[in-house]
């Protein structure tokens, strides 16, 4: 039995995946130190009251550098090409403080919505130079108290066709970039870009994350080349591809072949529902295709998959609150996933992106950093169904955010406002005041 000084903090009655009953979680020196039905110890405690506890959401694909641009957009919101062109024009004027300020807005929203890990994709090319990259490095440092931000540098507007871009990518990789991204569909030599990026990734020993196959034309794909290079270079488990909306347009046999190819190569897939649904199918006059790849079906083939935010309030996606729980709910709704699959959709924004990002110490396990969030629902599946609010979060054992419950002000019988009561709480949960 632990002695009274064994813990710095104890969470009481946490509903945790894999446990039939709520458990206590002890934290010592910023790490999980015990998980048991009851921890007998005298330490500061927080009563969770049977609410769902997760190790925080993992957002594997977010563009902080081009977020929150809506006020600057003097153009019509069209398809993908129009969005790329709009941001291309704007980013010549990006400054490091400007990118920092907009990125911070998204990070703070993400933190307050329960995200504890994020891969930020940042554009590098001669138009913007390393200014956005410098902003992301500062954001990574300044918000480390609440979120682990890894930086993925990539050439949004092509590599082989954009002189000077490769040199800038090399400078960023020498200066702290964690991951190398790609965007072959904007390159005049897509296979050349893929080849060059694999060479650079091997040289700097970093993982790869491509924007890939982002339309609904199934007559051609870059997926095969990425899988071929991944296998040839023994890079399985270190390559992810994002969007891959072409897969949504494939008939079952072709979908199965592509899924087998991805699983065999060890290439992971991220879908970005808000952007995929907003930009694709614009040519349709009616019966508009969804253009959202069903990653819950790819999981059945052994492909590592995630659902992520991508863009927030910009020409690619003029929506967003950086909430991954809302995004997982959105995915489930559009992909027609029923309650039996809600737990799997939680995995798509937690454990699976953690695997995609090769996070070594993610999860509520003894020895791992004490990162957790509390959702205002009895289980994670119910939280997904109702988009429950994250009510508090901890990073390394230190509280990173709190969200008090809403208060309903019903009138009493005299017409005056009655005493207030907390609203939005599940009746299944007792209000113990501990949160
Ligand atoms: Zn993206």
């Amino acid at each position: 039995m632990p002695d009274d000084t064994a813990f710095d903090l104890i969470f009481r009655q946490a509903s945790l995946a894999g446990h039939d009953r709520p458990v206590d979680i002890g934290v010592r020196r910023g790490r999980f130190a015990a998980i048991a039905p009851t921890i007998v110890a005298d330490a500061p405690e927080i009563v969770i009251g049977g609410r769902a506890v997760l190790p925080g959401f993992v957002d594997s694909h977010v563009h902080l550098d081009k977020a929150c641009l809506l006020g600057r957009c003097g153009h019509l919101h069209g398809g993908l090409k129009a969005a790329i062109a709009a941001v291309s024009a704007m980013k010549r004027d990006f400054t490091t403080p400007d990118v920092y300020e907009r990125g911070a807005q998204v990070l703070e929203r993400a933190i307050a919505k329960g995200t504890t890990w994020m891969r930020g994709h940042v554009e590098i090319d001669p138009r913007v130079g390393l200014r956005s990259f410098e902003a992301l490095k500062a954001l990574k440092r300044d918000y480390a108290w609440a979120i682990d931000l890894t930086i993925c540098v990539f050439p949004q507007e092509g590599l082989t066709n954009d002189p000077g871009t490769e040199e800038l990518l090399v400078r960023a990789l020498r200066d702290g970039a964690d991951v190398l991204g790609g965007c072959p569909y904007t390159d005049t030599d897509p296979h050349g870009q893929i080849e060059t990026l694999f060479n650079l990734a091997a040289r700097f020993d970093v993982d790869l994350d491509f924007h890939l196959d982002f339309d609904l034309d199934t007559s051609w794909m870059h997926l095969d080349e990425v899988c071929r290079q991944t296998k040839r270079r023994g890079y399985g488990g270190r390559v992810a591809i994002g969007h891959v909306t072409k897969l949504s347009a494939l008939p079952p046999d072709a979908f199965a072949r592509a899924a087998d190819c991805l699983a065999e190569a060890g290439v992971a897939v991220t879908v970005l529902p808000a952007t995929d649904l907003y930009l694709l199918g614009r040519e349709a006059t009616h019966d508009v295709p969804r253009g959202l790849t069903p990653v819950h079906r790819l999981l059945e083939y052994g492909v590592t998959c995630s659902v992520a935010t991508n863009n927030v309030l910009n020409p690619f996606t003029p929506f967003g609150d950086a909430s991954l729980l809302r995004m997982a709910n959105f995915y489930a709704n559009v992909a027609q996933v029923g309650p039996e699959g809600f737990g799997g959709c939680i995995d798509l924004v937690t454990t699976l992106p953690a695997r995609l990002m090769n996070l070594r110490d993610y999860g509520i396990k003894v020895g791992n950093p004490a990162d957790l969030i509390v959702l205002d629902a009895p289980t994670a599946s119910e939280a997904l169904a109702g988009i429950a609010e994250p009510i508090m979060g901890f990073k390394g054992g230190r509280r990173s955010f709190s969200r008090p419950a809403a208060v309903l002000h019903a009138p009493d019988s005299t017409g005056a406002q009655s005493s207030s009561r907390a609203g939005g709480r599940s009746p299944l949960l007792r209000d113990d005041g501990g949160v």
Side-chain angles (χ1 to χ4, degrees):
M1 187 176 294
D3 68 53
D4 284 1
T5 59
F7 302 105
D8 303 319
L9 177 63
I10 299 172
F11 295 97
R12 300 285 186 195
Q13 302 156 20
S15 170
L16 211 56
H19 296 264
D20 294 336
R21 295 170 180 279
V23 294
D24 291 351
I25 303 170
V27 174
R28 181 169 52 232
R29 294 195 201 96
R31 291 183 177 267
F32 294 119
I35 300 166
T38 305
I39 294 175
V40 181
D42 184 16
E45 59 183 53
I46 293 173
V47 179
I48 305 297
R51 292 177 177 83
V53 169
L54 294 173
F57 298 116
V58 181
D59 209 331
S60 63
H61 191 129
V62 185
H63 296 270
L64 296 174
D65 55 333
K66 56 188 177 192
C68 304
L69 288 171
L70 283 193
R72 297 184 201 187
C73 300
H75 64 93
L76 294 172
H77 286 269
L80 175 61
K81 281 195 176 126
I84 291 173
V87 172
S88 177
M90 281 186 271
K91 75 180 165 187
R92 293 172 194 277
D93 299 324
F94 285 1
T95 63
T96 297
D98 163 43
V99 173
Y100 183 96
E101 191 272 327
R102 289 183 288 100
Q105 286 181 42
V106 176
L107 276 185
E108 290 184 9
R109 288 181 204 193
I111 291 163
K113 290 294 185 182
T115 299
T116 50
W117 296 78
M118 181 185 286
R119 176 178 284 180
H121 291 245
V122 58
E123 298 184 16
I124 305 269
D125 59 42
R127 284 159 288 285
V128 73
L130 297 175
R131 299 193 297 279
S132 298
F133 173 65
E134 293 298 332
L136 259 79
K137 283 200 300 177
L139 290 165
K140 174 177 179 166
R141 180 193 65 219
D142 294 350
Y143 286 89
W145 54 271
I147 192 165
D148 278 282
L149 176 64
T150 59
I151 302 175
C152 174
V153 292
F154 85 108
Q156 169 75 76
E157 298 182 52
L159 178 62
T160 68
N161 54 298
D162 205 0
T165 300
E166 185 173 343
E167 291 74 13
L168 287 165
L169 287 172
V170 167
R171 280 175 58 190
L173 287 163
R174 284 199 180 115
D175 192 27
D178 303 292
V179 179
L180 181 59
C183 194
Y185 59 76
T186 57
D187 205 301
T188 50
D189 178 7
H191 283 205
Q193 178 181 127
I194 293 168
E195 172 85 19
T196 301
L197 292 175
F198 267 97
N199 288 340
L200 281 176
R203 181 172 147 202
F204 287 94
D205 191 23
V206 294
D207 292 356
L208 280 163
D209 196 336
F210 293 92
H211 292 74
L212 211 78
D213 292 343
F214 188 21
D215 59 38
L216 300 176
D217 178 358
T218 57
S219 66
W220 61 272
M221 282 192 166
H222 294 141
L223 181 150
D224 298 334
E225 176 63 9
V226 168
C227 287
R228 190 183 73 78
Q229 291 269 11
T230 302
K231 282 201 281 189
R232 182 166 80 81
R233 294 162 183 265
Y235 234 63
R238 301 191 68 181
V239 179
I241 53 178
H243 297 295
V244 210
T245 50
K246 287 175 187 284
L247 293 180
S248 75
L250 290 179
D253 286 355
F255 182 87
R257 280 196 298 278
D260 284 336
C261 177
L262 291 163
E264 195 189 323
V267 173
V269 173
T270 298
V271 291
L272 305 155
T275 305
D276 297 348
L277 284 154
Y278 180 66
L279 289 180
L280 294 187
R282 292 295 181 113
E283 62 286 354
T285 57
H286 62 287
D287 202 12
V288 181
R290 292 170 194 234
L292 179 68
T293 285
V295 280
H296 66 288
R297 287 177 47 215
L298 281 181
L299 293 176
E300 296 165 11
Y301 293 82
V303 182
T304 298
C305 298
S306 69
V307 167
T309 296
N310 199 34
N311 284 294
V312 176
L313 306 174
N314 73 6
F316 293 84
T317 315
F319 312 105
D321 57 359
S323 164
L324 271 185
L325 187 63
R326 186 185 65 80
M327 196 59 71
N329 169 290
F330 186 45
Y331 172 82
N333 201 159
V334 175
Q336 301 175 326
V337 178
E340 69 287 351
F342 289 173
C345 289
I346 290 288
D347 294 342
L348 284 165
V349 289
T350 53
T351 52
L352 290 166
R355 188 189 302 164
L356 179 149
M357 288 170 60
N358 287 311
L359 304 183
R360 308 250 176 258
D361 51 5
Y362 173 82
I364 301 177
K365 285 186 239 163
V366 171
N368 277 356
D371 300 352
L372 66 77
I373 61 166
V374 180
L375 298 169
D376 198 8
T379 66
S381 290
E382 287 167 86
L384 177 115
I387 319 183
E389 289 287 8
I391 56 178
M392 67 174 77
F394 288 76
K395 187 74 174 167
R398 180 188 169 279
R399 194 189 292 251
S400 54
F401 75 91
S402 304
R403 177 177 285 101
V407 175
L408 303 185
H409 300 278
D412 64 18
S413 56
T414 64
Q417 283 201 332
S418 69
S419 56
S420 305
R421 66 185 176 85
R425 291 284 174 86
S426 164
L428 296 174
L429 302 171
R430 68 185 179 84
D431 194 356
D432 46 56
V435 295

